[in-house]
Amino acid sequence: MSGHPSTYEPKYAATRWLDQRLPIIRMGADFMTYPSPRNLNYWWTFGGILTLCLVSQIITGIILAMHYVPHVDMAFDSVQRIRRDVPFGWLLQPMHAVGASMFFLAVYIHMFRGLYYGSYKAPREMIWILGCVIYLIMMATAFLGYTLPWGQMSFWGATVITGFFGAVPVVGESLQQWLLGGFSVSNATLNRFFSLHYLLPFVIAGIVGLHVWAMHHAGQNNPIGVEPKSKKDTLSFHPYYTVKDGFAVVLFLLVFAFFVFYQPDALGHADNYIEANPMETPAHIVPEWYFLPFYAILRAVPDKLMGILLMIGAIAVLFVLPWLDTSKVKSMRFRPLARRFFYIFLVACFILGWCGAETPSDMVFTVGQKLGVSDLGGYLASIGAEFPSGENVKFIEDQTRAFTADALAACQSELAAGHALPEYCSQTPQGLNFVWLSRIATFLYFGFFFILPILGLVEKPKERPESITKAVLGEA
Amino acid sequence: MKTVMKKTLLIAATSLAAITGVGLGVAYAAGGSSDYEMKHVHWHFNGPFGTYDRAAMQRGYQVYREVCSSCHQLKFLSFRHLGDKGGPYYDEAYPNPNDNPYVKAFAADWTIQDIDLDTGDAIERPGIPADRFPAIYDNAAAAAASNNGKAPPDLSVMAKARTGGADWLYNILISYDKDDVFYNKAYGGQMAMAAPLSDGMVEYADGTEATVDQMAKDVTEFLAWSADPKMEVRKQTGTATMIYLLILAILAYISYKRVWRNVEH
């Protein structure tokens, strides 16, 4: 492991025996004494927090699966039974549902930390890529799991998301039917979603193992991005970081517990308390909050396939990030220009989340109204005229155009005179709607990844400290 | 020490801001479009120490039984739930709700469709605490046919199934137009259900005056319990958990300071 010499010495005959055959205790002991940079801040505690989230989800999930019934007629009832009659079901079910949100909250902070401090750069590309794979499978798992309670949002969310596959050229329809196990979301779909929802967390756990292995091999990054050079630059993982992570974990649990005990429904949607009904589409189909930014990117594009490609691109671009960033400097602390773009990127992500929750045609803000003619027939009736008719198409077109202009003028004069607007007039609010806001934010999102290669070449980074120890003592 | 605290606060604030920001966004998105302004009630069950008002729940059950239950089912509830801890008729003398005389009497008040195990004939018998609240109609089509084409929804989780929760339920019940019994201001249009409540419709045993507002509040209290029957135990456990975690946080912080006392970082 990264050339860090093992200090473990088996004390008993049994551990000596085991150490020669399977040095698993040695591995654990070496992990505990792993030299970690001494300047890691609280943003570095989210790795431990995420491990806790995964373990919590798996344990609560296994118990919930003992009581849950994956059948379209019984799924919703079985969740109610868990909340009402299963011992501690009232605790386990919200822990699992809120736990998903907490998991994503932590993973987003963890990812933004990696972005800010350049943790994806050589020699840590594999840590980053494995992290992206984990994130991708997490999204799949969360989506599959959200289907299981079989509420209205479960059903219609599953219908919308599986509909994406139908947009694939040529094979789309067959692919979609193969995934659903039928022509629409049905019992076959629910069964396979349950099966996969149970499988994927263990895949995540496996990749987490690789993620941690790669991290122990390449070493942890740190807030100044200068690699440890001497023993003085590092501290043993235990007790220094076990205790720091422990403190952060408890703070995180306070937030977690607040939601579980006092606001278990705040992060969900009321419609999911209505049993799935394939004959009744909800007025607004909204995904869970952690998918909202991608939902906004999807809806920013009028074409379905292009929207899906852009949404996939938003995640795919993360995989190639290590090669997009051309700067040798890791930490944004020393990259004033890149840091500015990072903050713009961060804000763009939040705006996208906001757009995803709103109706696209709704206005963000309005600047005045645009006057129009909504009912030309009404205007003609009001002045006693009739629609132009006859064989001459050009004549009809000209007349219609002239009448429309007259009607608009009438609307304007009525408005100017301060009268009530006649019914044939319409007023459309002008300003920025959420489609356009999401387009701007999407542009900023991808813009960050396009500007990164250039930034590394043109930017003059600030002077970096020689070593971690010097930085620590200099700051203190 | 100062910088660490500052950083800690920053992290906590950022996480909370992220969550509330998203929460508000969603809530805003789900808001209704009508001009009706929701009346917010200060419910007994609001807040971190809120409990259900037992008397209100009991009156609420009466309203449900005498008014709502002619069309609406409570399919996720059994009669025994009424006598569960935290339920409207819980009695310490009867830890097993099946023995609770109120629960037995309420169950017996309902007729349950069953099969005679000796003859196989379809029979009707009085309910027992273990029975679920029975279906009101034979099927959804029959329910819709006798109610202006819209089947009356189940009420077990109604207090959670609409944006606004219990407030929504209460506002719907008090917002019917005086002249048009189907027009509801809170709903923002015609409903399939005509105004279900009118003053003096039920006679409360405890002498409370049965105004529409009072009955709406009571039945909402009852249905809020029905949607979240474990709320009291959840909030109590929450208090204990939060205190435990706060103490643990202080201890963890002290340990952290102690372990790192000789390390500049």
Side-chain angles (χ1 to χ4, degrees):
Chain A
M1 291 273 160
S2 166
H4 133 68
S6 184
T7 54
Y8 170 69
E9 283 195 26
K11 284 197 187 83
Y12 310 101
T15 49
R16 267 194 298 277
W17 183 88
L18 185 65
D19 197 50
Q20 283 160 7
R21 286 154 183 85
L22 177 72
I24 192 164
I25 304 179
R26 178 177 299 278
M27 188 174 83
D30 291 352
F31 270 29
M32 293 312 272
T33 55
Y34 187 78
S36 311
R38 63 190 281 175
N39 59 339
L40 300 184
N41 58 26
Y42 278 102
W43 299 112
W44 258 263
T45 60
F46 282 89
I49 288 170
L50 283 161
T51 314
L52 180 82
C53 287
L54 180 62
V55 171
S56 164
Q57 288 302 85
I58 289 181
I59 292 174
T60 52
I62 287 175
I63 302 171
L64 288 172
M66 295 174 186
H67 302 281
Y68 171 77
V69 185
H71 187 282
V72 289
D73 293 334
M74 287 177 266
F76 191 86
D77 297 36
S78 73
V79 174
Q80 281 300 318
R81 206 184 82 79
I82 288 170
R83 295 167 62 102
R84 290 165 194 273
D85 287 334
V86 171
F88 290 98
W90 57 267
L91 178 62
L92 290 170
Q93 195 275 336
M95 259 177 88
H96 197 73
V98 170
S101 281
M102 292 297 123
F103 206 159
F104 274 96
L105 174 70
V107 92
Y108 282 132
I109 296 174
H110 193 62
M111 290 166 81
F112 280 124
R113 190 270 287 156
L115 274 174
Y116 185 85
Y117 291 110
S119 301
Y120 49 84
K121 290 186 196 183
R124 301 188 178 82
E125 296 95 325
M126 277 314 291
I127 310 178
W128 175 261
I129 290 171
L130 287 166
C132 291
V133 174
I134 294 169
Y135 174 56
L136 206 59
I137 305 179
M138 260 179 76
M139 293 207 285
T141 312
F143 157 68
L144 295 167
Y146 193 60
T147 309
L148 304 185
W150 210 242
Q152 274 287 68
M153 244 357 130
S154 300
F155 180 89
W156 291 98
T159 302
V160 170
I161 305 278
T162 51
F164 294 168
F165 294 92
V168 176
V170 188
V171 295
E173 205 181 320
S174 320
L175 181 66
Q176 191 185 348
Q177 286 170 12
W178 178 72
L179 288 168
L180 291 173
F183 299 105
S184 64
V185 177
S186 63
N187 197 51
T189 319
L190 181 58
N191 273 279
R192 61 191 57 197
F193 276 22
F194 179 54
S195 166
L196 293 172
H197 181 70
Y198 205 110
L199 167 71
L200 291 182
F202 298 98
V203 177
I204 293 178
I207 302 174
V208 166
L210 296 179
H211 188 66
V212 173
W213 180 19
M215 188 201 76
H216 278 91
H217 187 74
Q220 285 150 292
N221 186 28
N222 65 77
I224 60 168
V226 176
E227 300 294 328
K229 286 175 180 144
S230 69
K231 258 190 120 173
K232 276 177 78 182
D233 287 345
T234 62
L235 295 168
S236 166
F237 180 72
H238 180 74
Y240 294 100
Y241 285 108
T242 42
V243 75
K244 190 168 184 168
D245 281 1
F247 175 54
V249 161
V250 178
L251 292 183
F252 184 78
L253 284 179
L254 274 165
V255 179
F256 198 142
F258 167 78
F259 278 100
V260 169
F261 292 109
Y262 302 111
Q263 291 293 328
D265 298 317
L267 300 166
H269 198 290
D271 274 13
N272 233 26
Y273 277 103
I274 306 171
E275 191 168 355
N277 181 356
M279 307 303 286
E280 205 174 287
T281 318
H284 301 286
I285 300 175
V286 192
E288 291 280 85
W289 68 265
Y290 37 81
F291 292 140
L292 289 175
F294 299 106
Y295 194 51
I297 291 176
L298 171 82
R299 295 193 301 185
V301 189
D303 181 74
K304 188 177 174 188
L305 182 62
M306 285 308 291
I308 293 165
L309 287 176
L310 204 62
M311 185 176 67
I312 295 170
I315 301 164
V317 72
L318 296 173
F319 282 82
V320 292
L321 177 65
W323 295 277
L324 287 179
D325 191 347
T326 48
S327 174
K328 290 273 180 288
V329 182
K330 291 196 189 86
S331 174
M332 295 246 180
R333 278 194 190 172
F334 308 107
R335 301 183 62 190
L337 197 55
R339 188 166 62 206
R340 221 165 273 175
F341 282 100
F342 171 82
Y343 285 129
I344 294 173
F345 173 74
L346 188 67
V347 171
C349 291
F350 275 97
I351 292 177
L352 281 171
W354 181 30
C355 293
E358 298 286 338
T359 308
S361 56
D362 279 359
M363 305 302 286
V364 183
F365 58 83
T366 49
V367 278
Q369 310 272 337
K370 190 183 175 197
L371 210 54
V373 179
S374 56
D375 179 12
L376 188 58
Y379 168 71
L380 293 177
S382 76
I383 59 164
E386 274 178 25
F387 260 113
S389 60
E391 306 253 314
N392 190 339
V393 177
K394 189 171 180 321
F395 169 76
I396 293 174
E397 280 179 359
D398 286 345
Q399 281 288 306
T400 309
R401 207 169 295 135
F403 277 138
T404 310
D406 289 349
L408 191 61
C411 293
Q412 275 159 350
S413 62
E414 288 292 324
L415 195 67
H419 297 156
L421 216 54
E423 274 182 22
Y424 54 81
C425 304
S426 68
Q427 279 189 315
T428 0
Q430 295 295 294
L432 184 67
N433 62 16
F434 280 100
V435 180
W436 277 100
L437 183 63
S438 63
R439 282 172 188 165
I440 295 166
T442 304
F443 176 78
L444 293 176
Y445 180 98
F446 285 100
F448 178 69
F449 296 100
F450 278 104
I451 201 107
L452 267 183
I454 305 161
L455 276 183
L457 304 175
V458 300
E459 169 186 63
K460 271 221 166 68
K462 282 201 263 182
E463 206 182 320
R464 279 165 296 154
E466 249 173 75
S467 73
I468 294 173
T469 309
K470 281 204 173 154
V472 166
L473 297 179
E475 268 180 20
Chain B
M1 165 117 184
K2 243 186 183 166
T3 52
V4 172
M5 283 304 285
K6 234 165 72 187
K7 282 180 198 165
T8 315
L9 283 175
L10 187 74
I11 293 171
T14 319
S15 332
L16 275 177
I19 299 169
T20 43
V22 166
L24 285 177
V26 173
Y28 182 64
S33 54
S34 77
D35 300 328
Y36 179 79
E37 202 170 319
M38 279 251 266
K39 289 188 186 69
H40 296 284
V41 179
H42 183 76
W43 299 105
H44 198 271
F45 50 81
N46 282 351
F49 304 106
T51 52
Y52 294 115
D53 178 345
R54 226 138 296 262
M57 270 198 293
Q58 295 182 356
R59 291 193 299 270
Y61 175 68
Q62 190 185 347
V63 176
Y64 169 73
R65 180 66 183 108
E66 290 177 23
V67 184
C68 317
S69 77
S70 48
C71 305
H72 294 278
Q73 197 188 350
L74 287 176
K75 68 173 171 183
F76 300 121
L77 251 64
S78 301
F79 298 115
R80 66 184 161 81
H81 285 132
L82 296 171
D84 266 350
K85 206 168 183 183
Y89 290 96
Y90 174 67
D91 186 341
E92 278 177 20
Y94 303 99
N96 180 353
N98 294 299
D99 302 331
N100 186 312
Y102 281 105
V103 173
K104 281 198 217 170
F106 287 132
D109 181 35
W110 291 74
T111 307
I112 307 291
Q113 313 276 345
D114 207 344
I115 302 288
D116 186 316
L117 289 179
D118 294 327
T119 63
D121 291 338
I123 53 160
E124 289 187 342
R125 61 164 174 83
I128 56 168
D131 283 320
R132 288 211 178 188
F133 277 80
I136 313 296
Y137 297 96
D138 289 340
N139 52 60
S146 23
N147 289 282
N148 300 319
K150 181 93 175 72
D154 182 82
L155 294 184
S156 317
V157 283
M158 189 48 83
K160 279 182 179 289
R162 299 288 185 275
T163 308
D167 278 337
W168 178 86
L169 205 55
Y170 166 74
N171 278 264
I172 285 291
L173 289 172
I174 58 163
S175 300
Y176 276 95
D177 194 81
K178 282 198 177 57
D179 303 316
D180 181 351
V181 290
F182 287 100
Y183 185 81
N184 192 304
K185 292 189 283 289
Y187 184 76
Q190 299 272 333
M191 287 183 82
M193 171 174 77
L197 300 173
S198 56
D199 288 334
M201 211 171 188
V202 301
E203 200 173 313
Y204 283 137
D206 63 4
T208 309
E209 198 189 339
T211 60
V212 168
D213 188 74
Q214 183 65 41
M215 288 185 286
K217 272 186 183 142
D218 291 343
V219 81
T220 301
E221 187 93 14
F222 171 71
L223 290 176
W225 164 79
S226 147
D228 196 357
K230 302 289 184 182
M231 181 210 71
E232 291 184 2
V233 65
R234 196 181 64 234
K235 284 181 178 174
Q236 283 159 13
T237 315
T239 310
T241 308
M242 297 306 260
I243 293 171
Y244 173 82
L245 285 174
L246 273 173
I247 295 170
L248 193 61
I250 293 165
L251 290 178
Y253 186 72
I254 294 169
S255 314
Y256 164 63
K257 291 317 281 184
R258 180 158 173 80
V259 169
W260 284 73
R261 70 193 180 284
N262 293 325
V263 184
E264 291 286 354
H265 64 285

